[in-house]
């Protein structure tokens, strides 16, 4: 294997580890990153969160205005916020749902564009 092939293989392995959902758009990956961030981000907008959920889960609007979200065998009922930002309780509920569906970030506190230390060790 040439040196260039080795570097490409290592990059692909790192990318697979650091990008938890490569099929998602950059906006959706960014929302996922902020949902998983510690401490919880306080500027997550409802339209971004519901857009992500529609991409990765089954979302149904109920007759009472609530939103039913099903993913990974879990169901959560969300009440859209009165203001544009979601609160911490909702972030935690969505975080649990997404983890059950297999969408945790590789490292919650790492920048999604940067390879993690674990990925570097795994890549050799």
């Amino acid at each position: 294997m040439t040196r260039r092939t080795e570097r490409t293989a290592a990059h692909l392995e790192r990318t697979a580890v650091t990008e938890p959902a490569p099929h998602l758009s950059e906006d959706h990956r960014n929302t996922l990153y902020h949902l998983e961030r510690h401490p919880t981000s306080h500027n997550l907008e409802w339209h971004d969160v519901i857009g992500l959920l529609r991409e990765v889960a089954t979302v149904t609007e109920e007759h009472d205005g609530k939103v039913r979200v099903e993913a990974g065998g879990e169901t959560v009922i969300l009440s859209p916020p009165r203001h544009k930002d979601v609160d911490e309780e909702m972030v935690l509920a969505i975080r649990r749902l997404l983890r059950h569906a297999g969408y945790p970030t590789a490292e919650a506190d790492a920048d999604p564009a940067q390879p993690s230390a674990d990925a570097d060790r795994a890549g050799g």
Side-chain angles (χ1 to χ4, degrees):
M1 189 182 300
T2 68
R3 187 177 181 115
R4 183 178 185 146
T5 305
E6 288 173 5
R7 283 193 310 244
T8 302
H11 171 73
L12 289 174
E13 188 171 335
R14 266 197 313 275
T15 302
V17 172
T18 59
E19 288 188 20
H23 66 281
L24 295 177
S25 70
E26 184 176 343
D27 288 338
H28 290 323
R29 283 194 308 266
N30 188 44
T31 301
L32 181 62
Y33 166 74
H34 286 289
L35 279 167
E36 288 293 329
R37 195 162 179 199
H38 296 281
T40 303
S41 180
H42 293 283
N43 59 349
L44 275 166
E45 294 187 13
W46 172 248
H47 69 91
D48 293 332
V49 172
I50 198 68
L52 169 65
L53 292 174
R54 284 188 175 118
E55 187 69 27
V56 301
T58 302
V59 177
T60 308
E61 292 188 31
E62 301 287 321
H63 66 279
D64 58 0
K66 294 183 180 182
V67 177
R68 174 189 216 75
V69 184
E70 299 175 47
E74 299 286 320
T75 300
V76 69
I77 307 294
L78 304 173
S79 296
R82 286 186 230 157
H83 305 287
K84 66 180 183 173
D85 294 336
V86 298
D87 63 19
E88 187 170 357
E89 185 178 326
M90 187 179 294
V91 169
L92 295 175
I94 294 167
R95 188 183 289 168
R96 280 190 299 274
L97 177 80
L98 291 174
R99 284 185 181 157
H100 282 283
Y103 284 97
T105 57
E107 282 188 17
D109 293 328
D111 181 341
Q114 298 297 318
S116 69
D118 290 338
D120 288 340
R121 284 193 292 274

